[in-house]
């Protein structure tokens, strides 16, 4: 029997699920290798009960009703893989974690009493253990394919926690930070995107989040030496992956007067 | 011979001549506001009238006040990108209906002509030659590309802001190793021929006798460059100095600044570390092993299942600098630094290794002695392509440990290891636990994906096997002496063949004491062998476990408690977890054994097993080449060093 796959969504833009659909050349093979039991974005087949051999979960835990979904997904899945910035660190919507939740609700919604949200946007791993975290906003489709392939053949996914700089140098891109003075978060950001922005002469804004052992303090010092005011440095660390602990701590340090 | 010159206006003839001889010409060109190395159509693609201004962490191109074609210092790219591409396919594999095929990947070795190779960079190519071509194992792809490459060197008559080739003895002039050499002297190039291939290309050029005084102008220009180096570094004593100062406070200081981003290592023209990645289709039928530039600044570089050897940035920077300027000499007989200055310019936060070295030197403790490089050995080609072999028998040793018997006709020495692999899953080093010339035994604990898949193999299944690799237990040095064997857990497996050899040669090994520790009685390996050895009157076998039920009648406690009454002339062979080996050797030494008669078997991240990928380094050694068995005193200094 084919392994059963579920793709589940929480609070998210669906971009991670679309990344899976972007695997156009491999989609048929994936459909043949796996029994797609549940896929919110792509299929009308609706089988949330499980059990599943592999579950990809997208989005952050942002509403009380999502808590039982996450617990159910964990209980029903042999392997639970959290994909994307939201599922792994709370995502862009975690920007509200710094604000007053009640005030936001009354500012944004005409009838806030209809809205049920948590005060903080949380990563899945804060509620249940996950077997693997695939980062990126959205994740790279080749890396997503690698996670699925590795699961099917039984190897460890070849996803490295190194900096974007390695991909940038392997590609031969000229370093935007050194050669043009463009602030770049590549040195503290996890590789996987293929160094897309530096390849287009733009600084990395860390849509893959902090790499292992990110020395954010030294890079932030350097950005300040290059003329960025501390508040601007803080802002750069408080974006898509702002709630990830190393970035959260760095933005807090730079924010202080 | 009279000096010859090529008019600047005739430089196009050099491109024509190189193409006529079959070369694709690559060299410096201005692109994206930087001078990069790329394909050149002709002299019009050279960066005429451009120079660069560099500092720590900064690089800018600027106009010159003349139209010099080579008036700039080296940039981010180096020739390494052509000889050792950042990604390369190594092995292709196919598994279908139980059959397994391994074949070397196809290689593109179209001859390249490198136009504009500076002294530092030619030296760097020769440094990488030592890694990939001059050791026991030859990298076939690098070897083919390097032999085919044509080198047009260029002298540096101006020094760059970050250059220190004069300190490293690699420039600014290029005196050897080129096919042709150009010296840019305004309206003409002084041309020197360095090889028969160079002469053949030169014969196609409209060369004229150089004006009197051009040779002197070259020498004066080189002297001027030498006198104006942007950096200096005293390097001759660095191996011993750096390894004598592994606890220097400067390592913490630099670690606070270092991003561990790996830029220094990837722009370095000599850094050679790579990762080996297993790639496959969804079914695992077609698979391959690729390599990609890796760096000692990544966590994966020094990581195996269950152990991270260099967790802190401090460990990684120290690994890099002590290797680059120190261990390299022991590994390859030459420094790994050529003084090109790239690592200073392309460090995002501007860390300058010449400053770091000066700071360590200023308050250093004495230097230590370093081991010499190994003697040359006959070359083995295609070292990365496994042979296909089949499992003939499987014996379950414990809940998570099996011994595979694999049909494989090979001679090995006890203590050596094989790389065992499965196409879509990966490859791991596994010590050889026994063999008879027709088959080998491998004892495997299922801990990760690869070891788990290997441990699940059944008789008849095929797998990939490479080797044997590495050093062996010193069985000849043990002849006539009492031998103390200390093993912990699966550490008994690499010792099993040595114990069997000693059991089979009673006259040579009159007294063997085996002290074996495991977690519980259920974790004991080779219980039949233990009984067989215990029955031999020359053998004394003591087994201890950490935890046991009431029915266990043997010892309980750590294995080091069994180390007593060590004969003063004994040799000790120790294998187990690193911590256990450290305590065991300390106990042996406390009991009177000199450290030079204790041997341990080390484990690091062995990915290529042929001293190319750089990931299993242990100070001046490669564990795959110089180990895994080491005489303890040779690594004692590193053994207790956190983060090595």
């Amino acid at each position: 029997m084919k392994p059963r796959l579920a793709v589940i969504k929480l609070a998210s833009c669906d971009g991670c699920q679309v990344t899976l659909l972007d695997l156009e050349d491999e989609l048929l093979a994936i459909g043949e290798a796996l029994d797609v039991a549940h896929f919110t974005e792509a299929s009308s087949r609706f089988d949330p009960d499980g059990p599943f051999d592999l579950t990809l979960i997208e989005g952050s835990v942002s509403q009380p009703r999502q808590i039982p979904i996450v617990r159910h997904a964990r209980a029903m899945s042999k392997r639970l893989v959290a994909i994307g910035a939201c599922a792994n660190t709370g995502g862009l919507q975690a920007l509200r974690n710094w604000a007053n939740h009640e005030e936001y609700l009354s500012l944004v919604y005409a009838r806030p009493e209809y809205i049920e949200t948590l005060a903080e946007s949380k990563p899945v791993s804060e509620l249940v253990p996950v077997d693997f975290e695939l980062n990126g906003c959205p994740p790279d489709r080749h890396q997503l394919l690698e996670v699925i392939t590795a699961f099917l053949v039984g190897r460890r996914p070849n996803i490295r926690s190194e900096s974007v700089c390695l991909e940038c140098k392997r590609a031969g891109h000229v370093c935007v930070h050194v050669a043009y003075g463009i602030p770049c978060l590549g040195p503290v950001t996890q590789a996987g995107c293929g160094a897309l922005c530096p390849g287009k002469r733009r600084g990395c804004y860390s849509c893959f989040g902090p790499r292992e052992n990110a020395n954010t303090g030294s890079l932030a010092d350097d950005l300040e030496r290059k003329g960025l005011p501390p508040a601007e440095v803080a802002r750069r660390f408080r974006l898509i992956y702002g709630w990830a602990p190393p970035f959260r701590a760095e933005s807090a340090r730079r924010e202080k007067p | 011979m009279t000096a010859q010159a090529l008019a600047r206006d005739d430089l196009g003839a050099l491109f024509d001549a190189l193409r006529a001889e079959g070369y694709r010409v690559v060299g410096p060109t201005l692109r994206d506001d930087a001078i990069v190395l790329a394909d050149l159509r002709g002299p019009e693609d050279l960066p005429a009238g451009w120079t660069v201004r560099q500092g720590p962490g900064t690089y800018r191109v600027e106009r010159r006040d003349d139209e010099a074609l080579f008036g700039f210092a080296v940039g981010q790219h180096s020739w390494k990108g052509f000889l050792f591409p950042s990604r390369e396919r190594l092995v292709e594999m196919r598994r279908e209906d139980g059959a397994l095929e391994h074949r070397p990947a196809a290689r593109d070795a179209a001859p390249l002509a490198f136009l504009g190779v500076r002294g530092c960079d030619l030296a760097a190519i020769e440094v990488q030659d030592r890694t990939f071509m001059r050791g026991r194992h030859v990298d076939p792809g690098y070897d083919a590309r390097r032999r085919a490459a044509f080198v047009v060197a260029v002298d540096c008559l101006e020094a760059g802001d970050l250059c220190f080739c004069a300190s490293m003895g690699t420039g600014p002039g290029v005196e050897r190793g080129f096919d042709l050499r150009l010296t840019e002297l305004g309206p003409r190039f002084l041309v020197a021929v360095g090889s028969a291939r160079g002469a053949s290309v030169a014969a196609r050029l409209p060369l004229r006798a150089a004006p009197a005084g051009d040779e002197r102008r070259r020498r004066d220009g080189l002297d001027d460059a030498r006198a104006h180096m942007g950096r200096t570094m005293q390097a001759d004593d660095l191996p011993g100095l750096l390894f004598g100062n592994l606890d220097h406070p400067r390592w913490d200081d630099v670690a606070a600044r270092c991003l561990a981003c790996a830029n220094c290592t990837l722009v370095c023209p000599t850094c050679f570390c790579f990762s080996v990645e297993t790639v496959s289709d969804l079914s695992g039928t077609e698979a391959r092993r690729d390599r990609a530039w890796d760096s000692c600044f990544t966590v994966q570089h020094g990581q195996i299942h269950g152990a991270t050897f260099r967790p802190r940035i401090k460990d990684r920077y120290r690994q890099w600098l002590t290797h680059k300027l120190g261990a390299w000499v022991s590994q390859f007989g030459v420094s790994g630094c050529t003084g090109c200055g790239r690592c200073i310019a392309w460090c995002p936060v501007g860390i300058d290794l010449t400053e770091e070295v000066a700071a360590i030197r200023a308050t250093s403790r004495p230097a230590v002695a370093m081991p010499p490089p190994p003697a040359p050995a006959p070359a083995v080609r295609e070292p990365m392509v496994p042979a296909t072999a089949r499992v003939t028998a499987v014996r379950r040793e414990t809940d998570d440990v099996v011994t595979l018997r694999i049909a494989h006709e090979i001679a090995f020495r006890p203590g050596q290891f094989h790389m065992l692999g499965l196409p879509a899953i990966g490859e791991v080093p596994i010590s050889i636990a026994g063999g008879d010339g027709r088959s080998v035994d491998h004892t495997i604990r299922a801990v990760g994906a690869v070891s788990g898949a290997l441990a699940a193999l059944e008789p008849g299944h095929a797998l990939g096997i490479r080797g044997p690799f590495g050093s062996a237990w010193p069985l000849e040095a043990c002849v006539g002496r009492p031998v103390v064997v200390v093993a912990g857990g699966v550490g008994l497996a690499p010792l099993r063949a040595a114990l069997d050899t000693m059991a089979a040669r009673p006259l040579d090994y009159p007294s063997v004491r085996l002290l074996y520790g495991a977690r519980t009685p259920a974790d004991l390996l080779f219980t039949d062998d233990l009984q067989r050895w215990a029955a031999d009157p020359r053998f004394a076998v003591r087994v201890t476990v950490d935890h046991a039920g009431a029915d266990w009648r043997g010892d309980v406690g750590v294995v080091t408690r069994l180390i007593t009454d060590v004969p003063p002339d004994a040799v000790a062979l120790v294998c187990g977890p690193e911590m256990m080996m450290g305590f065991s050797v300390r106990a042996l030494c406390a009991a009177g054994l000199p450290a030079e008669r204790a041997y341990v078997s080390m484990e690091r991240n062995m990915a290529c097993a042929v001293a190319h990928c750089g990931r299993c380094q242990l100070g001046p050694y490669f564990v795959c080449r110089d180990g895994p068995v080491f005489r303890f005193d040779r690594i004692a200094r590193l053994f207790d060093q956190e983060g090595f």
Side-chain angles (χ1 to χ4, degrees), chain A residues 5-9 14-23 27 30-31 35-48 52 56 58 83 144 148:
Chain A
L5 170 77
V7 185
I8 294 176
K9 126 180 197 80
D14 290 25
C16 303
Q17 297 182 68
V18 173
T19 301
L20 188 53
L21 297 175
D22 267 350
L23 286 166
L27 221 44
I30 292 172
D35 175 14
V36 184
H38 187 85
F39 190 163
T40 316
E41 176 82 18
S43 166
S44 54
R45 189 169 161 200
F46 187 72
D47 180 9
F52 309 116
L56 305 176
E58 167 202 276
I83 58 171
L144 188 56
I148 295 169

Side-chain angles (χ1 to χ4, degrees), chain B residues 454-520:
Chain B
L454 288 169
L457 291 176
E458 292 170 14
H461 285 176
L463 74 165
I465 185 166
R466 295 194 288 129
F469 300 114
S471 62
W473 298 110
L475 289 178
E476 291 317 307
C478 295
V479 169
R481 288 177 181 271
V483 180
V484 180
V485 177
V486 188
V490 285
L492 184 58
L495 287 159
R496 181 174 173 242
L499 287 159
D500 272 342
T501 302
M502 292 190 280
R505 288 163 56 185
L507 295 177
D508 288 340
Y509 304 101
S511 157
V512 180
R513 194 188 307 175
L514 169 61
L515 312 175
Y516 176 36
R519 277 175 301 181
T520 71

Side-chain angles (χ1 to χ4, degrees), chain B residues 579-594:
Chain B
M579 182 92 82
M580 165 263 166
M581 291 195 291
F583 281 113
S584 298
V585 175
R586 237 169 270 143
L588 287 159
C589 292
L593 187 91

Side-chain angles (χ1 to χ4, degrees), chain B residues 291-465:
Chain B
R291 73 173 164 202
W293 286 355
D294 196 8
S295 165
C296 48
F297 286 96
T298 70
V299 67
Q300 278 95 350
H301 187 276
Q303 199 168 46
I304 58 171
H305 191 96
T308 299
F309 298 113
R310 290 182 287 278
R312 301 167 302 178
I313 292 181
K314 170 187 174 179
D315 307 328
R316 301 181 199 171
Y317 189 87
R318 186 178 60 184
Q319 167 66 31
W320 176 64
L321 202 72
T322 56
H323 181 219
K324 182 67 50 189
L325 301 173
W328 218 291
V329 179
S330 292
Q331 293 169 351
F332 301 108
V334 66
S335 172
C337 178
T338 65
C340 72
R342 283 185 180 89
C343 58
I344 308 172
W346 300 96
C347 171
V349 293
I351 295 170
D352 179 342
L353 84 168
T354 66
E355 265 181 32
E356 300 310 316
V357 165
I360 290 168
R361 183 185 293 284
T363 54
S364 58
R365 285 193 298 190
V368 294
M370 296 292 286
V380 178
R381 298 186 70 87
E382 296 293 1
M384 294 298 287
V385 182
T388 304
R390 279 187 194 276
V391 176
T392 57
V394 178
R395 192 171 84 160
R396 179 151 293 281
E397 305 286 351
T398 73
D399 276 353
D400 60 353
V401 179
V402 300
T403 297
L404 303 181
R405 178 151 294 176
I406 298 165
H408 192 49
E409 290 187 15
I410 197 101
F412 73 94
R413 293 177 297 143
Q416 290 189 295
F417 68 97
H418 276 131
M419 294 298 290
L420 299 186
L422 293 165
I425 313 224
E427 223 185 6
V428 286
I430 303 283
S431 65
I432 302 171
D436 57 9
R438 295 186 308 280
S439 66
V440 285
D441 288 350
H442 282 284
T443 299
I444 300 164
R445 170 180 270 164
V447 287
V450 186
S451 57
L454 288 169
L457 291 176
E458 292 170 14
H461 285 176
L463 74 165
I465 185 166

